[in-house]
């Protein structure tokens, strides 16, 4: 089968969990013996994975450009994968027009509307004087989601596709229970690039320092660094005056590097070429996430590296299953600092947390079964596509109406750009 993977960005597995997930999905397709063409309108990045090394053709494309139509007509994919809902919005109508029988798969990565709803709730909480963050309830979160245009757009894209991949059981339940989406178009698949370091990982005595890691372009990570710097780290240093925190992350902006204060033990070190390597050297991972969604790559890396972690209820969401957390879950500054220091200085508690984290990792990240599930599901849907689509009448309506509006807007922008180019040549 021929796969067209439309990437929002070029995959950077060393920069983000999303990049690692993308790489694992295309690797699953190659493992099945399928032909894969990866196309993206994003600028080429120096940290991108060389897809050609694993037999995947790369193609740069543009939004609102008829050249993409020519690619569809010449390549004629059997399956088109959209990387996040806005990629489906940009290119979905063209796929529908030129390849109507292509199976359309949406990789949500995480529910953007859930993350945005929580971010909005956080901003509302912090807008009050002397505000203290509190984890929003599920009814509050769903109400916030319902108020967002992003939710309407994201759910519409899910309906328009034949299959949408979710990385969290919590998000699957939200879509079914709170928004009434049909289960046949949804699948939980945690396929994520992790290293199996469950054996031979460094033990307590071989490690030192705290670690925090995350792509600075991802807003939940930046908020976590700020909360660490302003509140949590001073509380930890009050209990542990010699403590050192190493903050890693791709694409640190000047506002992040300016937070570096060696005298306070707060070291902003930026890019980590090997996230697993620096995670294995640390004794405790700190991930104070006040909003977000999906599976958090930093916590997955910590589990696989045998590094206990302290995070929030939102950080642990979708990752704990029915198991005790590999470290501590704390939602206040005082609880977070106390748990971090106790974990850092208690070898028995630390070793118990390491074991619990590895048990979670073994349950959550089963690459082979996740890969096999993805391939078998796609094969079954492709064989029964007409029947499958008949059960998603809302999706048919949205494809009919929404695609027309997207098509006309895109065609107008395309014409406008063409006229601008022609005028510049005169």
């Amino acid at each position: 089968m021929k796969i067209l993977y439309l990437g929002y960005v070029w995959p950077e597995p060393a920069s983000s969990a999303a990049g690692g997930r993308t790489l694992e999905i295309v690797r699953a397709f190659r493992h099945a013996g399928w032909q894969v063409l990866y196309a993206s309108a994003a600028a080429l990045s120096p940290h991108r994975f060389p897809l050609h090394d694993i037999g995947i053709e790369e193609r740069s494309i543009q939004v609102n450009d008829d050249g993409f139509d020519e690619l569809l007509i010449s390549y004629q994919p059997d399956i088109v994968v959209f990387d996040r809902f806005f990629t489906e919005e940009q290119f979905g109508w063209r796929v529908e027009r030129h390849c109507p029988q292509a199976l359309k798969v949406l990789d949500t990565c995480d529910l953007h509307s859930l993350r945005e709803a929580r971010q909005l709730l956080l901003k509302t909480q912090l807008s009050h004087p002397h505000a203290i963050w509190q984890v929003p309830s599920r009814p509050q979160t769903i109400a916030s989601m319902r108020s967002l245009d992003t939710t309407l757009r994201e759910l519409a894209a899910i309906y328009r596709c034949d299959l949408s991949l979710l990385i969290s059981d919590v998000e699957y339940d939200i879509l079914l229970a709170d928004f009434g989406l049909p289960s046949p178009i949804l699948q939980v698949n945690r396929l994520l690039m992790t290293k199996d370091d469950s054996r031979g990982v460094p033990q307590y005595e071989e490690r030192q320092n705290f670690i925090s890691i995350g792509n600075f372009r991802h807003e939940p990570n930046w908020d976590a660094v700020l909360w660490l710097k302003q509140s949590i780290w001073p509380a930890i240093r009050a209990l542990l005056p010699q403590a050192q925190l190493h903050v890693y992350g791709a694409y640190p902006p000047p506002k992040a590097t300016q937070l570096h204060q060696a005298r306070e033990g707060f070291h902003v070190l930026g890019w980590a070429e090997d996230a697993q390597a620096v995670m294995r050297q640390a004794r405790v991972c700190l991930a104070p996430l006040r909003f977000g969604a999906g599976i958090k790559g930093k916590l997955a890396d910590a589990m696989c590296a045998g590094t206990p972690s302290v995070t929030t209820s939102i950080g642990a969401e979708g990752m704990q299953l029915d198991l005790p957390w590999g470290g501590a879950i704390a939602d206040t500054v005082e609880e977070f600092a106390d748990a971090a220091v106790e974990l850092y200085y208690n070898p028995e508690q630390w070793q118990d947390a390491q074991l619990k984290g590895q048990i979670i990792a073994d349950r959550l990240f089963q690459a082979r079964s996740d890969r096999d599930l993805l391939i078998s599901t796609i094969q079954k849907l492709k064989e029964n596509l007409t029947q499958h689509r008949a059960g998603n009448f809302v999706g048919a309506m949205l494809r009919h109406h929404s695609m027309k509006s997207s098509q006309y807007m895109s065609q107008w922008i395309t014409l406008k750009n063409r006229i601008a180019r022609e005028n510049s040549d005169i």
Side-chain angles (χ1 to χ4, degrees):
M1 279 202 273
K2 296 167 71 175
I3 312 292
L4 175 61
Y5 195 105
L6 298 175
Y8 172 58
V9 293
W10 297 95
E12 296 184 15
S15 299
S16 69
R21 175 173 169 81
T22 297
L23 183 57
E24 288 305 295
I25 289 175
V26 296
R27 275 178 167 160
F29 294 150
R30 289 297 296 138
H31 187 268
W34 298 349
Q35 180 180 344
V36 181
L37 170 60
Y38 191 102
S40 178
L44 296 176
S45 120
H47 302 303
R48 68 194 180 99
F49 184 86
L51 293 170
H52 51 80
D53 286 357
I54 56 174
I56 295 176
E57 182 183 354
E58 300 175 349
R59 188 79 59 89
S60 290
I61 55 176
Q62 294 180 330
V63 297
N64 303 312
D65 184 86
D66 291 339
F68 182 70
D69 296 26
E70 298 171 6
L71 172 62
L72 289 172
I73 293 169
S74 62
Y75 187 63
Q76 284 296 308
D78 300 297
I79 300 162
V80 177
V81 182
F82 301 101
D83 178 18
R84 287 163 265 207
F85 76 92
F86 26 80
T87 303
E88 189 275 341
E89 289 180 328
Q90 293 168 338
F91 299 105
W93 72 268
R94 295 182 185 270
V95 174
E96 183 78 12
R97 186 180 189 183
H98 297 291
C99 307
Q101 291 306 306
L103 182 75
K104 290 183 276 292
V105 179
L106 172 63
D107 183 28
T108 63
C109 290
D110 59 36
L111 280 184
H112 291 63
S113 51
L114 175 60
R115 173 159 35 92
E116 186 176 329
R118 285 173 167 160
Q119 184 176 13
L120 179 62
L121 289 169
L122 173 64
K123 288 181 178 178
T124 301
Q125 285 186 10
L126 298 186
S127 65
H128 302 292
H130 312 295
I132 297 176
W133 174 66
Q134 293 182 326
V135 180
S137 67
R138 178 154 171 166
Q140 289 175 316
T141 301
I142 300 304
S144 181
M145 288 182 69
R146 292 184 185 278
S147 72
L148 298 174
D149 288 343
T150 300
T151 306
L152 299 176
R153 292 171 54 198
E154 188 166 34
L155 268 59
I158 290 173
Y159 267 115
R160 286 193 295 262
C161 289
D162 301 304
L163 177 68
S164 289
L165 304 177
L166 302 164
I167 202 167
S168 162
D169 291 306
V170 172
E171 295 176 8
Y172 178 84
D173 183 63
I174 286 174
L175 292 182
L176 262 62
D178 296 293
F179 291 96
L181 271 74
S183 60
I185 67 172
L186 305 173
Q187 181 183 97
V188 177
N189 198 306
R190 299 187 185 88
L191 191 59
L192 195 70
M193 188 174 73
T194 56
K195 295 182 180 179
D196 183 13
D197 290 329
S198 57
R199 296 183 180 179
V201 296
Q203 292 305 303
Y204 177 86
E205 297 80 6
E206 304 172 76
R207 299 168 180 253
Q208 60 180 348
N209 303 326
F210 293 93
I211 187 173
S212 178
I213 191 167
N215 191 318
F216 283 97
R217 289 180 176 175
H218 193 51
E219 292 188 60
N221 293 337
W222 172 236
D223 176 74
V225 170
L226 285 179
W227 198 27
L228 270 172
K229 173 65 174 172
Q230 296 167 357
S231 301
I232 296 175
W233 188 244
I236 291 176
R237 286 275 288 192
L239 298 171
L240 195 60
Q242 302 305 314
Q244 303 292 311
L245 171 63
H246 293 172
V247 181
Y248 293 94
Y251 304 106
K255 64 181 180 180
T257 55
Q258 289 170 3
L259 297 179
H260 178 88
Q261 291 290 339
R263 290 183 178 179
E264 299 174 5
F266 197 92
H267 305 270
V268 180
L269 303 177
W271 172 272
E273 187 171 342
D274 188 337
Q276 284 276 326
V278 295
M279 186 66 76
R280 286 163 59 89
Q281 295 169 6
R283 187 172 290 179
V284 177
C285 173
L286 305 179
L289 295 163
R290 293 191 286 188
F291 66 97
I295 296 293
K296 293 75 177 178
K298 61 183 69 59
L299 294 173
D301 281 340
M303 292 176 189
C304 294
T307 306
S309 62
V310 184
T311 189
T312 61
S313 300
I314 287 177
E317 181 187 84
M319 303 188 67
Q320 190 174 2
L321 302 175
D322 55 349
L323 300 170
W325 187 251
I329 298 173
D331 293 321
T332 69
V333 171
E334 294 76 15
E335 291 174 350
F336 203 101
D338 288 343
V341 172
E342 178 66 19
L343 198 56
Y344 193 89
Y345 262 121
N346 188 322
E348 292 77 17
Q349 183 177 332
W350 187 93
Q351 291 164 1
D352 180 65
Q354 182 186 66
L355 177 60
K356 289 175 179 176
Q358 291 172 342
I359 292 173
I360 293 175
D362 290 341
R363 284 271 300 274
L364 271 182
F365 310 118
Q366 302 181 29
R368 181 172 180 177
S369 60
D370 290 339
R371 181 186 66 206
D372 292 346
L373 175 62
L374 175 63
I375 298 303
S376 63
T377 300
I378 287 177
Q379 288 174 326
K380 291 176 182 176
L381 291 181
K382 187 63 179 172
E383 293 169 0
N384 301 280
L385 187 56
T386 301
Q387 181 181 356
H388 177 72
R389 287 180 175 174
N392 181 18
F393 190 71
V394 173
M397 287 193 298
L398 287 172
R399 286 196 298 272
H400 176 76
H401 293 288
S402 301
M403 290 296 96
K404 289 299 182 183
S405 61
S406 298
Q407 173 184 341
Y408 295 146
M409 175 60 74
S410 181
Q411 288 177 331
W412 179 80
I413 296 173
T414 301
L415 179 60
K416 180 182 176 182
N417 292 340
R418 184 184 304 150
I419 292 173
R421 287 195 300 267
E422 291 173 352
N423 289 339
S424 66
D425 293 336
I426 296 177

